[in-house]
């Protein structure tokens, strides 16, 4: 049997590459596995040899100790791989296929899946609707920052790339289909971006840059990205975004300088619950800051797309309310301006095939826009450390050496 190595959470601020079990078609007990899922048969699944698996800001929340994630949890929900084995119930996915894995685990059978709400599948997580690989409170499905990973409901979940050689040639772009590109695009769609829209994206991390990329795909006339990190703002400018430096204060005045008015048509929150206050001397955590500022700068009748992560349990929250995910939102502002809000996991399968076609036919350069950089699995601790320090880079792990050299 093949060996398997994976990236595991070892406590706040620490990850390690460990030797772990090769996947089988049964969900076994382990860190974070819901007892009701132990022994669950996965004959509908496939085992993948990982081609690319990315470090995500959502992983970083756990690694910082900002969730209730257990020690030794194998991380990783942004997975692209080659099928090496299929379960007895798999009909259409074949050994040798190169596939993208939506980070949402979905059964394809429940009411929500049939309504394309794959982010809140009812059958894969005994704790709550919705599941993901290698993530706290998501049912205990083993993460994919590993050499090999099990994917359940393979015929339903896996997006097969039409041509192997073309896929490997564009693998850094295609690796973004598992999460951040659909997630950012979902933020833009739910914010109501259309031809001619003016858009403000809060956050210049990979999801924010993906949201900006998605907004341009949808026809936005101006995309403004706000952040406190100069390198990340420079990365946003590299593909045509205007930028707002939030160390200089709230975004309204700087938006006014760009557009001639302090309002945009559409607002996107790509930051989430670890948001910080704005202005000189900023850096203190103020988790409602982004949502409240977005309500201020979004025109009446507009919409907010909120792909940024918010949690119900945050041990490091700034106060008792924040530790439960209860934030001091100016909901009255939102109500008075008739703003719409869309939150929650992106239903990746709603967008991933269309975005794949945009990549394959050279209509977008998502890997370039987010500054994707492949590194070895053993370099994962360094990648986490640099990402946590604000590197303007999307780190793509290359566990099996299958990503071609540039």
């Amino acid at each position: 049997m093949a060996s398997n190595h994976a990236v595991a959470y070892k406590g706040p601020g620490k990850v390690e590459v460990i030797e772990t079990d090769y996947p089988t078609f049964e969900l076994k007990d382990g860190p974070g596995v819901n007892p009701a899922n132990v022994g669950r048969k996965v004959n509908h699944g496939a085992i993948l040899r990982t081609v690319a698996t990315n470090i995500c800001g959502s992983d970083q929340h756990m690694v910082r100790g900002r969730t209730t994630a257990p020690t030794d949890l194998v991380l990783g929900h942004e997975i692209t791989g080659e099928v090496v084995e299929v379960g007895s119930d798999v009909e259409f996915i074949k050994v040798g296929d190169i596939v993208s894995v939506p980070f949402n685990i979905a059964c394809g059978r429940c009411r929500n899946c049939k309504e394309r709400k794959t982010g809140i599948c009812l059958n894969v997580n005994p704790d709550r609707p919705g599941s993901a690989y290698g993530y706290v409170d998501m049912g205990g499905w083993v993460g994919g920052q590993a050499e090999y990973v099990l994917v359940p409901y393979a015929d339903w979940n896996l997006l097969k790339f039409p041509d192997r050689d073309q896929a490997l040639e564009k693998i850094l772009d295609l690796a973004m289909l598992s999460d951040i590109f659909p997630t950012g695009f979902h933020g833009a769609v739910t914010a109501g971006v259309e031809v001619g829209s003016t858009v403000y994206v809060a956050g210049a991390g990979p999801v924010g840059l993906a949201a900006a990329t998605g907004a341009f795909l949808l026809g936005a006339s101006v995309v403004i990205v706000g952040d406190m990190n100069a390198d990340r703002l420079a990365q946003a400018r590299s593909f045509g975004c205007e930028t707002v430096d939030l160390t200089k204060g709230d975004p309204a005045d700087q938006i006014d300088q760009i557009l001639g008015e302090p309002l945009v048509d559409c607002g996107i929150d790509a930051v989430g619950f670890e948001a910080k206050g704005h202005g000189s001397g900023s850096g203190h955590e103020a988790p409602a800051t982004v949502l409240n500022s977005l309500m201020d700068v979004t025109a009446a009748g507009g919409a907010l797309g909120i792909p940024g992560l918010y949690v119900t349990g945050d041990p490091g929250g700034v106060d008792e309310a924040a530790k439960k995910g209860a934030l001091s939102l100016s909901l009255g502002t939102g109500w008075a301006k008739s703003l719409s809000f869309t939150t929650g996991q992106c239903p990746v399968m709603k967008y991933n095939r269309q975005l794949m076609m945009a990549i394959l036919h050279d209509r977008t350069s998502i890997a370039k826009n987010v500054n994707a950089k492949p590194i070895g699995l053993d370099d994962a601790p360094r990648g986490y450390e640099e990402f946590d320090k604000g590197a303007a880079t999307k780190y793509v792990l290359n566990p099996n050496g299958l990503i071609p050299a540039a």
Side-chain angles (χ1 to χ4, degrees), residues 200-284:
Y200 175 60
V201 181
V207 170
L209 299 177
T213 302
F216 281 129
L217 266 179
L218 291 165
S221 59
V222 182
V223 178
I224 305 168
V225 179
D227 206 296
M228 301 179 186
N229 182 314
D231 291 339
R232 290 182 171 184
L233 290 175
Q235 185 63 32
R237 289 192 295 272
S238 75
F239 61 96
C241 299
E242 302 286 345
T243 57
V244 164
D245 182 350
L246 295 171
T247 66
K248 298 178 179 178
D250 290 338
D253 290 342
Q254 295 175 70
I255 290 172
D256 192 10
Q257 293 172 18
I258 295 167
L259 297 178
E261 61 176 344
L263 297 171
V264 294
D265 300 320
C266 313
I268 302 171
D269 173 7
V271 179
F273 73 102
E274 288 192 72
K276 293 179 170 58
H278 300 159
S280 60
S282 57
H284 62 282

Side-chain angles (χ1 to χ4, degrees), residues 33-336:
V33 179
N34 187 293
N37 262 352
V38 174
R40 186 170 181 163
K41 302 298 183 184
V42 193
N43 296 325
H44 43 69
I47 296 172
L48 308 185
R49 179 168 62 153
T50 305
V51 175
T53 176
N54 314 332
I55 296 175
C56 179
S58 298
D59 299 319
Q60 200 73 63
H61 291 308
M62 289 190 292
V63 172
R64 290 182 186 129
R66 296 300 298 270
T67 70
T68 55
T71 301
D72 292 325
L73 181 74
V74 172
L75 301 168
H77 56 272
E78 299 191 11
I79 307 163
T80 308
E82 177 186 19
V83 178
V84 295
E85 192 173 350
V86 296
S88 58
D89 293 343
V90 176
E91 292 187 76
F92 307 114
I93 290 293
K94 305 298 182 185
V95 170
D97 288 346
I98 304 291
V99 296
S100 179
V101 184
F103 81 89
N104 322 109
I105 301 173
C107 71
R109 294 151 167 80
C110 71
R111 171 181 175 175
N112 286 348
C113 284
K114 290 178 180 180
E115 294 177 356
R116 303 183 76 191
K117 301 172 184 175
T118 52
I120 44 174
C121 174
L122 299 173
N123 288 331
V124 289
N125 182 1
D127 286 324
R128 65 181 74 176
S131 189
Y133 303 89
Y135 213 83
V136 60
D137 295 333
M138 288 293 183
W141 300 92
V142 178
Q145 287 177 12
E147 293 170 310
Y148 296 90
V149 63
L150 172 69
V151 175
Y153 302 102
D155 283 328
W156 169 252
N157 282 305
L158 296 180
L159 174 67
K160 177 184 173 181
F161 301 139
D163 181 87
R164 179 188 180 91
D165 291 339
Q166 184 188 32
L168 291 175
E169 180 183 339
K170 295 180 176 289
I171 196 64
L172 286 180
D173 291 290
L174 295 170
M176 304 303 141
L177 291 173
S178 55
D179 181 357
I180 67 161
F181 198 10
T183 292
F185 191 77
H186 179 63
V189 168
T190 54
V193 178
E194 57 187 13
V195 173
S197 294
T198 57
V199 184
Y200 175 60
V201 181
V207 170
L209 299 177
T213 302
F216 281 129
L217 266 179
L218 291 165
S221 59
V222 182
V223 178
I224 305 168
V225 179
D227 206 296
M228 301 179 186
N229 182 314
D231 291 339
R232 290 182 171 184
L233 290 175
Q235 185 63 32
R237 289 192 295 272
S238 75
F239 61 96
C241 299
E242 302 286 345
T243 57
V244 164
D245 182 350
L246 295 171
T247 66
K248 298 178 179 178
D250 290 338
D253 290 342
Q254 295 175 70
I255 290 172
D256 192 10
Q257 293 172 18
I258 295 167
L259 297 178
E261 61 176 344
L263 297 171
V264 294
D265 300 320
C266 313
I268 302 171
D269 173 7
V271 179
F273 73 102
E274 288 192 72
K276 293 179 170 58
H278 300 159
S280 60
S282 57
H284 62 282
E285 195 161 299
T289 296
V290 170
L291 290 171
N292 286 332
S293 67
L294 280 169
M295 285 189 276
D296 287 338
V297 302
T298 302
L304 306 185
I306 309 174
L309 174 68
Y310 290 87
V311 296
T312 56
D314 173 12
V318 294
D319 54 35
E320 290 305 312
K323 289 177 181 179
K324 301 175 183 177
L327 309 181
S328 297
L329 296 179
S330 180
L331 189 59
T333 300
W335 190 93

Side-chain angles (χ1 to χ4, degrees), residues 300-387:
L304 306 185
I306 309 174
L309 174 68
Y310 290 87
V311 296
T312 56
D314 173 12
V318 294
D319 54 35
E320 290 305 312
K323 289 177 181 179
K324 301 175 183 177
L327 309 181
S328 297
L329 296 179
S330 180
L331 189 59
T333 300
W335 190 93
K337 296 177 73 172
S338 294
L339 299 176
S340 301
F341 300 74
T342 301
T343 65
Q345 287 187 34
C346 162
V348 170
M349 292 174 68
K350 190 173 182 178
Y351 308 108
N352 62 351
R353 184 185 180 279
Q354 299 94 310
L355 294 175
M356 175 188 76
M357 297 301 288
I359 289 169
L360 294 179
H361 293 280
D362 300 319
R363 298 301 178 187
T364 188
S365 301
I366 182 63
K368 174 179 174 289
N369 291 2
V370 301
N371 193 26
K373 178 182 178 180
I375 60 175
L377 190 70
D378 288 339
D379 288 330
R382 175 177 62 84
Y384 270 97
E385 182 180 2
E386 292 179 1
F387 188 46

